[in-house]
Amino acid sequence: LKKNQNKKVLAFCGIAFPNKFFKSLKNIGYEVIKTKVFPDHYRYNLKDIIKLKNCAKNYELKLITTEKDIVRIPKKFHSFIDKVEIEFQFRDLSKIQKMIKNLIDK
């Protein structure tokens, strides 16, 4: 995850393990004031976005979600929703290479 300046946010997502996302936000400097969890692979509709935007406005928070979720939100709403970009870093590249080789060799 990329470091960011401290921001008070309403974090929302529709992923399998939402608490990991919220914890990651805190670890990179966001102040997660409110959260909203949707079912995994959720398709956001206009009503959802309006509710989220109004709630964020009422609490003076910025909306933030995952890269996975932002693609399921119409582009016209992206201007007021931040997304967190996730980078994977592997500690032991040799183990990853061995796993990939095993998958390919099957």
Side-chain angles (χ1 to χ4, degrees):
L1 298 171
K2 293 182 178 178
K3 286 270 184 201
N4 210 318
Q5 55 282 65
N6 284 340
K7 291 185 180 179
K8 292 183 179 183
V9 296
L10 185 168
F12 70 97
C13 61
I15 58 175
F17 302 101
N19 288 330
K20 284 186 177 185
F21 171 58
F22 303 143
K23 184 178 178 183
S24 294
L25 287 174
K26 292 175 185 174
N27 288 342
I28 60 171
Y30 285 96
E31 190 175 347
V32 180
I33 305 297
K34 295 192 96 28
T35 61
K36 174 68 176 156
V37 176
F38 292 89
D40 196 14
H41 304 287
Y42 187 75
R43 284 252 169 244
Y44 298 92
N45 60 46
L46 179 61
K47 188 176 177 181
D48 298 323
I49 303 304
I50 290 170
K51 279 185 174 182
L52 287 165
K53 186 175 182 181
N54 287 340
C55 184
K57 185 178 178 183
N58 288 342
Y59 289 91
E60 297 180 4
L61 305 174
K62 179 73 179 161
L63 286 172
I64 193 164
T65 194
T66 67
E67 281 183 299
K68 180 184 169 194
D69 287 282
I70 199 78
V71 299
R72 293 191 309 268
I73 296 171
K75 287 191 187 299
K76 64 183 175 183
F77 302 118
H78 291 196
S79 63
F80 58 84
I81 301 172
D82 284 349
K83 72 176 186 290
V84 173
E85 297 177 8
I86 297 172
E87 290 179 1
F88 290 99
Q89 294 182 346
F90 300 101
R91 291 191 180 120
D92 189 343
L93 191 57
S94 64
K95 285 183 181 178
I96 302 302
Q97 290 169 330
K98 191 182 279 187
M99 278 179 28
I100 292 170
K101 184 177 181 340
N102 288 338
L103 288 172
I104 292 171
D105 291 344
K106 284 188 177 183

